[in-house]
């Protein structure tokens, strides 16, 4: 049995923990963790827990049974689709999904749910079937789940061709072919790009090669880090205090392992939450025994004669004796394989419209190439049509479903991707959850709860409107603020509700000014007349 909890929906009601306590656990007040591959003896209890969940956040593997034939896909079968405008393609078209991930799997399932009965192919660089990434930095590192048990549950049969362990190496848009690294070429009628992102490696190749230096992004990464933690290292060094870095630090303290976190900025989580709320997160880390050093960079990593990491030298002039170093430096989008394809792609991702249709280098929407997940950079109408790339679980699912629907639909029936970004993190038994885009804010106000009690809700504003909300162990209130963000409600909010904060006055949010990646010079424009004007992608500068 395999399961996954959609933690963008979970509000910490804990019915699941009461009904199946060996599978679901509440850490602290609201932070849910779970075993993604529980023993079959727990089957009945898990089913009861799923049925009792007030927000229906528990997703289970579909019941085993024979693979349905193509004509069985969709609510009414292929015959119904032969009567509408998408009949021929739905019956016999070829769809290729590059990226065998959460995004790729959910898109494939949605295609079948909407009646697509044609050829479906999924291509993935990793050898593993699609798996869930959030447990890798939580349950897997603590040892409460194995990395091999994080495979995503299948909600329905796909009858798809899988090409795992082979990366896509190129794309010929004119010939409608995906080139694979092993020399094969796979034709398509419509293509979904869902190649996601990879962890940014430590910049020194020699230092990265030291035993004990690693990143955390894949199932194999998590298994390797878990083995290192099992050896009880003297000290773990975490380089970077984003969400992955902070979660690794939390696990280390839970296991009783000494950990130092270095962050170049003034506070952890500053890019996502801003300096004010980031400072509160920093206090949470220090209270739990983390050696947190902000405004500090790693100058070098040193190894012993056997090539094992033994020391780190810091920009503040100190050095640390460490056995493990986790480079948590953010992500790099997997777009190199698209160089020369003519699509608008670069280090910032693959540009697409709100319907997930890719742009070519001229900024013209393509009809047959779609993009979804971490690699997609799409306009967000609620935020001034800025092109945003959102690297979170909920966005991967919602964008995958929009892309799949639009691949099968005429223009008049296409959906825009308007879902608000959401993310969550569990640190030291505290669940940190967000909705909207706090990072565009200029002000923040703590409107509910108590910072000292580590139970509060902060609302973010930009030019007098609400743009985001972040909760520390106050998840149930986020649902209230979601429509306020969608409706551009005024900031600061003048609301009276339960557990009002004693001081709800807005203060500067504390985000560092950053130039948008979309302002980089990414194309060279040629030609004088409208029929001649063309854009050619400038050579990408991959980090």
């Amino acid at each position: 049995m395999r399961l996954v909890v959609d933690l963008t929906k979970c509000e910490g009601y804990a019915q699941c923990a009461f009904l199946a306590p060996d599978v679901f656990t509440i850490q602290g007040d609201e932070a849910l963790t779970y075993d993604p591959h529980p023993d079959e003896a727990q089957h009945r209890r898990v089913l009861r827990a799923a049925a009792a969940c007030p927000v229906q956040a528990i997703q289970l593997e579909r019941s085993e049974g024979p693979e349905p034939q193509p004509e069985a896909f969709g609510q009414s079968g292929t015959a119904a689709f032969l009567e509408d405008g998408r009949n021929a393609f739905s019956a016999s078209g070829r769809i290729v999904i590059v990226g065998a991930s959460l995004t790729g799997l959910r898109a494939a399932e949605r295609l079948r749910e909407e009646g697509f009965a044609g050829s479906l192919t999924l291509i993935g660089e990793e050898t593993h079937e699609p798996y869930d990434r959030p447990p890798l930095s939580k349950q897997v590192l603590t040892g409460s789940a194995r990395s091999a048990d994080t495979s995503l549950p299948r909600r329905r049969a796909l009858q798809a061709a899988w090409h795992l362990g082979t990366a896509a190496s190129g794309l010929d848009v004119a010939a409608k072919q995906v080139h694979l690294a092993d020399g094969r070429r796979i034709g398509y009628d419509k293509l979904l790009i869902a190649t996601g992102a990879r962890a940014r490696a430590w910049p020194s190749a020699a230092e990265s090669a030291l035993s004990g230096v690693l990143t955390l992004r894949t199932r194999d990464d998590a298994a390797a880090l878990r083995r290192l933690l099992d050896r009880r290292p003297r000290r773990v060094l975490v380089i970077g205090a984003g969400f992955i870095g902070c979660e690794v630090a939390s696990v280390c303290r839970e296991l009783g392992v000494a950990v130092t976190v270095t962050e170049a900025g003034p506070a952890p989580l500053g890019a996502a939450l801003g300096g004010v709320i980031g400072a509160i997160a920093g206090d949470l880390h220090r209270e739990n025994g983390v050696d947190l050093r902000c405004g500090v960079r790693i100058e070098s990593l040193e190894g012993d004669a056997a090539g094992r990491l033994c020391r780190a030298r810091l920009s503040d002039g100190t050095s640390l004796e460490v056995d493990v170093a986790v480079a948590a430096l953010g992500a790099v989008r997997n777009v190199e394989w698209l160089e020369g394809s003519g699509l608008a792609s670069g280090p910032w991702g693959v540009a697409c419209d709100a319907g997930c249709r890719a742009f070519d280098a001229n900024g013209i929407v393509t009809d047959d190439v779609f993009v979804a997940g971490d690699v997609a950079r799409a306009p967000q109408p609620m935020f001034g049509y800025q092109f945003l790339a959102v690297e979170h679980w909920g966005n991967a699912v919602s964008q995958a479903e929009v892309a799949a629907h639009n691949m099968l639909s005429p223009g008049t029936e296409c959906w825009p991707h308007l879902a608000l970004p959401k993310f969550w993190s569990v640190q030291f038994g505290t669940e940190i959850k967000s909705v909207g885009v706090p990072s565009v804010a200029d002000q923040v106000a703590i409107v509910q709860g108590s910072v000292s009690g580590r139970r509060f809700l902060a609302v973010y504003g930009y030019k007098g409107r609400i743009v985001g909300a972040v909760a520390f162990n106050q998840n149930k209130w986020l649902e209230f603020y979601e429509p306020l963000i969608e409706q551009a409600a005024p900031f600061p909010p003048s609301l009276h509700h339960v557990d009002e904060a004693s001081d709800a006055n807005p203060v500067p949010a504390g985000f560092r000014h950053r130039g948008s990646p979309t302002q980089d010079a990414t194309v060279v424009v040629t030609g004088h007349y409208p029929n001649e004007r063309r854009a050619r992608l400038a050579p990408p500068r991959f980090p």
Side-chain angles (χ1 to χ4, degrees):
M1 175 173 50
R2 292 184 289 186
L3 65 90
V4 65
V5 179
D6 182 350
L7 290 172
T8 61
K9 293 181 178 179
C10 176
E11 296 180 358
Y13 287 100
Q15 278 89 336
C16 57
F18 284 111
L19 294 170
D22 293 331
V23 179
F24 303 96
T25 303
I26 296 292
Q27 294 183 341
D29 294 324
E30 297 184 2
L32 177 68
T33 60
Y34 61 94
D35 181 353
H37 200 290
D39 188 278
E40 284 299 323
Q42 299 292 328
H43 189 262
R44 183 178 295 275
R45 291 183 177 182
V46 171
L47 289 177
R48 291 179 61 198
C53 176
V55 293
Q56 295 296 285
I58 301 172
Q59 301 173 8
L60 299 172
E61 183 86 85
R62 71 176 185 89
S63 301
E64 293 299 324
E67 281 277 311
Q69 296 302 308
E71 59 269 18
F73 290 121
Q75 295 180 350
S76 304
T78 302
F81 287 89
L82 292 176
E83 299 175 0
D84 66 22
R86 53 183 184 173
N87 51 16
F89 179 72
S90 290
S92 58
R94 300 172 301 165
I95 290 180
V96 172
I97 299 173
V98 183
S101 58
L102 170 67
T103 303
L105 177 62
R106 292 295 181 253
E109 290 175 335
R110 183 75 191 197
L111 287 167
R112 292 307 194 197
E113 288 167 6
E114 295 217 6
F116 179 69
S119 168
L120 183 57
T121 301
L122 287 95
I123 299 166
E125 183 174 7
E126 293 187 62
T127 58
H128 309 296
E129 61 181 287
Y131 57 87
D132 202 24
R133 294 189 189 277
L136 300 181
S137 58
K138 303 174 183 71
Q139 294 98 305
V140 171
L141 292 189
T142 62
S144 60
R146 301 180 306 161
S147 62
D149 292 337
T150 58
S151 296
L152 286 162
R154 302 290 177 83
R155 301 185 300 181
R156 64 174 301 128
L158 294 179
Q159 200 176 51
W162 293 80
H163 298 277
L164 301 179
T166 303
S169 60
L171 175 63
D172 187 336
V173 174
K176 290 193 172 184
Q177 291 182 334
V178 176
H179 299 185
L180 302 187
D182 61 8
R184 287 179 294 166
R185 298 188 177 191
I186 298 179
Y188 66 85
D189 296 312
K190 294 191 178 181
L191 172 71
L192 176 62
I193 297 171
T195 44
R198 63 186 183 276
R200 188 183 302 276
W202 181 245
S204 168
E207 294 173 8
S208 288
L210 292 172
S211 176
V213 179
L214 71 169
T215 57
L216 179 57
R217 176 80 183 186
T218 69
R219 176 186 277 186
D220 294 338
D221 293 339
L225 181 53
R226 175 61 196 174
R227 288 192 295 270
L228 292 173
L229 295 177
D230 278 341
R231 297 174 189 169
R232 310 301 299 177
R234 292 173 297 171
R235 179 170 294 274
V236 172
L237 171 64
V238 178
I239 309 170
F243 283 104
I244 293 296
C246 288
E247 288 174 3
V248 170
S250 174
V251 168
C252 286
R253 297 308 303 137
E254 184 176 342
L255 298 175
V257 174
V259 58
T260 294
V261 177
T262 61
E263 166 57 39
L269 306 176
L273 305 183
V276 173
I277 306 303
I280 298 170
D283 291 341
L284 184 65
H285 278 251
R286 293 187 178 96
E287 290 163 7
N288 285 275
V290 175
D291 174 24
L292 175 62
R293 305 191 187 190
C294 295
V296 174
R297 299 177 183 271
I298 300 300
E299 297 289 343
S300 64
L301 301 174
E302 300 176 357
D304 60 18
R308 295 186 296 258
L309 174 68
C310 63
R311 186 177 300 105
R313 298 199 180 276
L314 283 60
S315 62
D316 61 5
T318 62
S319 64
L320 291 171
E321 304 298 313
V322 296
D323 298 323
V324 177
V326 181
L329 304 173
V332 179
R333 294 175 184 88
N334 294 318
V335 297
E336 291 92 338
W337 69 285
L338 294 170
E339 186 174 352
S341 68
L343 295 182
S345 66
W348 32 268
V350 183
C352 62
D353 70 0
C356 301
R357 298 175 298 182
F359 290 139
D360 68 13
N362 296 293
I364 296 176
V365 170
T366 59
D367 293 325
D368 303 321
V369 181
F370 293 74
V371 196
D374 293 0
V375 75
R377 183 170 288 276
Q380 175 48 270
M382 286 178 286
F383 297 92
Y385 288 90
Q386 293 182 72
F387 277 75
L388 301 177
V390 180
E391 299 173 14
H392 296 300
W393 197 94
N395 183 76
V397 172
S398 60
Q399 205 166 38
E401 295 187 342
V402 168
H405 171 83
N406 291 347
M407 293 176 94
L408 303 179
S409 303
T412 55
E413 296 179 11
C414 282
W415 296 343
H417 179 246
L418 297 176
L420 280 177
K422 300 177 184 179
F423 68 79
W424 73 89
S425 178
V426 177
Q427 301 170 28
F428 311 105
T430 297
E431 181 153 48
I432 302 171
K433 205 165 185 178
S434 168
V435 63
V437 186
S439 60
V440 305
D442 51 20
Q443 290 187 305
V444 63
I446 296 173
V447 298
Q448 287 178 261
S450 163
V451 171
S452 60
R454 300 295 182 255
R455 288 180 60 88
F456 66 88
L457 188 138
V459 177
Y460 291 76
Y462 178 68
K463 293 185 177 180
R465 58 163 290 197
I466 297 175
V467 295
V470 170
F472 278 50
N473 281 342
Q474 290 275 35
N475 295 335
K476 297 178 182 65
W477 280 102
L478 283 181
E479 187 176 1
F480 172 80
Y481 286 95
E482 188 170 342
L484 297 182
I485 298 168
E486 293 176 337
Q487 296 159 17
F491 176 90
S494 56
L495 306 169
H496 297 287
H497 36 134
V498 176
D499 198 22
E500 289 188 64
S502 58
D503 182 6
N505 292 323
V507 297
F511 288 104
R512 288 184 296 172
H513 175 73
R514 299 192 307 272
S516 170
T518 57
Q519 294 173 349
D520 294 344
T522 55
V523 299
V524 175
V525 179
T526 60
H528 298 284
Y529 298 102
N531 64 327
E532 297 176 344
R533 295 282 282 176
R534 294 291 184 271
R536 175 175 54 83
L537 282 170
R541 297 178 180 178
F542 296 105

